[in-house]
Amino acid sequence: MPKSTLFNLPEKKRKRITKTLVKHFAHKPYSEVDIEDIAQESNVSKGSMYQYFENKRDMYFYAITETLNKYLKVIEKIDFKSMSFFDYIKRGFEFYWKFLLNDRDAYLLMEKTALYNDSPYRKEVEKIYHSKSQEILKKIIIENQKAGFIRGDVNPETIMIFIDGASWNLKKAILKIAQEKGVPIHKLPKEVIESAQNEFLKLLENGIATKK
Amino acid sequence: MPKSTLFNLPEKKRKRITKTLVKHFAHKPYSEVDIEDIAQESNVSKGSMYQYFENKRDMYFYAITETLNKYLKVIEKIDFKSMSFFDYIKRGFEFYWKFLLNDRDAYLLMEKTALYNDSPYRKEVEKIYHSKSQEILKKIIIENQKAGFIRGDVNPETIMIFIDGASWNLKKAILKIAQEKGVPIHKLPKEVIESAQNEFLKLLENGIATKK
DNA sequence: CAGTATTGTGACTCATAAGTCATAATTAAA
DNA sequence: TTTAATTATGACTTATGAGTCACAATACTG
């Protein structure tokens, strides 16, 4: 946990530091992140960083939880009770892209946390991601199973894992398309994203098998 | 690429080194792997390691490609043209677990490379890994669309992405179960793995929506 | 078996970066 | 305005580990 000094800081300064932390941990493997760099980029001395945080690990976890919380705040605004599960997923994607456009680094850090994190703290980090992000999804699935929208003959945990995995891959794929075309995602034709999403939803809803 | 000296080595020695490399890169993040340790464990001096390889990166890529090739050799034996898609997936899982039991470290390295790899060479590595296994998968999907087993109204690329993501996550989840129970994966009751797989196939086949 | 070539070695260099700390600057309190 | 408390700083310490290299051991050759 960051020291209290961090929270005594003027808002602006703290945000600057947070942003830089997120950026650096999003773009480099843990061991290659240099606190000195972060300090400089935040217009703060390295010594100060150690006034605000216990150590590097502390900075890393702070960056991750801040990001995750920010994302959750967005996602939790969706009132899943007022819509079908598939609309919810659709809406979730929308919010997700918005989040991504607003703060690319935050997105990258989340992606890394969920997918490739290989820091010395991988297991701890995975636990945080699971409890914060996957649990919400699971809750909604259970809710929808009760309401009869989602099949009840499969473990909600499995469904959650299924969706989480597939949807991350979709996000990745869309980013890859953008990258290959050499355009930023927000310049990717809306149809491209929408059609990918719709196909994804079709598969999610009814599976890949041919229907008679 | 390793230097020629590596390949002049007696088979036994080279294998010992390879095995140690795989083990270390499988268990620790790239930056925490210490060449000195590897050298010692292989009964070789650190200096020698640098006779055989250009540098650390070289050792890493050698470990990875060796492992991948070994796995592909196994996977390519499956004659996927003669079976339905769902059998293929099932068979794929089987091979995967077998590989895991036979050569744990190799398995772990593959998993890490594909799932959490966060080395400075992540993107290069991803290219090597993904293209191969995804390509095979995509081919099979197209084949099965033609044969009428898989719906034809969705882009095969999307289906591939969907399956790839979901199934990786499933593997991850099974590993997590094992970990939570504190047992190694090969001691996990067969039913646990099988039921997870079956549920996965159900979702894949018919989707998550309630069927009337 | 002398001489040449190849391979093995580990002490050493060198760069890097985490974390500390004495001191300076700033702010708050009296 | 003086004093006390808090916060900022960056030079310094220290640990680490990649990569080198001069020399030793071993193998090859004629």
Side-chain angles (χ1 to χ4, degrees), chain B residues 57-82:
Chain B
R57 179 189 178 283
D58 196 21
M59 300 178 205
Y60 178 60
F61 275 80
Y62 172 71
I64 285 179
T65 45
E66 279 291 295
T67 308
L68 181 64
N69 288 337
K70 213 160 145 194
Y71 176 68
L72 285 180
K73 225 184 254 168
V74 172
I75 262 300
E76 275 164 1
K77 277 190 197 146
I78 311 179
D79 175 20
F80 56 80
K81 277 194 179 160
S82 70

Side-chain angles (χ1 to χ4, degrees), chain B residues 32-44:
Chain B
E32 279 178 29
V33 171
D34 182 351
I35 308 306
E36 177 64 44
D37 286 351
I38 294 175
Q40 284 205 349
E41 209 174 309
S42 313
N43 290 322
V44 149

